[in-house]
Amino acid sequence: MKNTLLLLMILLLFSCGYKPVFSGQDINFYIDKILNIEDDNTTRKIIKKLSPYSIKNDKQSVNLEIKSNKDERVISKDSKGDPLVFEIKIEVDIKIKSSDNENAFNYVETFSFNNQTNKFELKQYKNNIEDNLIDKIFERIIIDIRSI
């Protein structure tokens, strides 16, 4: 009975047709140029994530113009005036220029988090949050470029 159930589960898992969305296969574009409007860390991270899509192929050529802004602010403070809750907001404006049209998109991701007593851990946590927000924006950029 266990062998039959195991065989059935294996057959179902291998025949489900899973295919990663961002695998790089079946892309209908390649990025010819990326123009960095503001030379900041956030934009550089996005450009680094877009670099695998810069390999020239026989698909449609796309030029990108990227501008980003990262804002970190205090949401609430305690009675002493020390920060309790922070918010990180990353906003990315991108212009996608192809041979036949030009589109502009605006992406905004925010995240709120509590303060920590250990400042080193707080800095690491902020960097981790920033990377996660950039990943979300990157995924949305790729989906929008594919839809053009």
Side-chain angles (χ1 to χ4, degrees), residues 8-141:
L8 182 62
M9 288 180 62
I10 289 173
L11 287 174
L12 287 175
L13 287 176
F14 285 117
S15 64
C16 67
Y18 170 76
K19 186 172 129 184
V21 175
F22 301 109
S23 66
Q25 298 175 358
D26 300 331
I27 57 171
N28 58 352
F29 68 93
Y30 73 92
I31 300 173
D32 191 29
K33 291 184 200 173
I34 300 175
L35 180 61
N36 186 353
I37 301 287
E38 295 180 9
D39 191 27
D40 61 340
N41 195 24
T42 306
T43 306
R44 283 192 296 264
K45 286 181 181 180
I46 293 171
I47 290 172
K48 185 176 180 182
K49 289 189 172 292
L50 289 170
S51 64
Y53 294 94
S54 296
I55 300 170
K56 291 191 177 191
N57 55 27
D58 57 349
K59 307 294 183 181
Q60 180 181 8
S61 171
V62 175
N63 295 327
L64 302 178
E65 189 175 302
I66 301 174
K67 179 182 176 184
S68 67
N69 182 24
K70 181 179 93 168
D71 185 30
E72 182 179 324
R73 65 187 184 113
V74 176
I75 300 272
S76 68
K77 296 181 179 183
D78 62 5
S79 60
K80 296 178 187 177
D82 296 330
L84 283 178
V85 180
F86 293 102
E87 179 184 65
I88 292 181
K89 176 182 174 183
I90 296 179
E91 184 175 356
V92 176
D93 294 321
I94 186 167
K95 288 184 184 175
I96 303 170
K97 299 176 185 176
S98 64
S99 59
D100 54 347
N101 61 5
E102 179 177 329
N103 297 318
F105 297 97
N106 184 5
Y107 307 99
V108 178
E109 292 288 335
T110 60
F111 187 80
S112 299
F113 58 96
N114 294 329
N115 195 4
Q116 298 178 2
T117 56
N118 188 335
K119 298 306 175 193
F120 177 74
E121 288 180 6
L122 179 64
K123 180 71 173 165
Q124 295 296 326
Y125 189 61
K126 286 180 184 179
N127 290 338
N128 193 11
I129 290 169
E130 181 181 351
D131 290 342
N132 290 339
L133 294 177
I134 288 172
D135 285 343
K136 287 181 183 179
I137 291 172
F138 164 73
E139 290 173 1
R140 290 174 53 199
I141 289 172

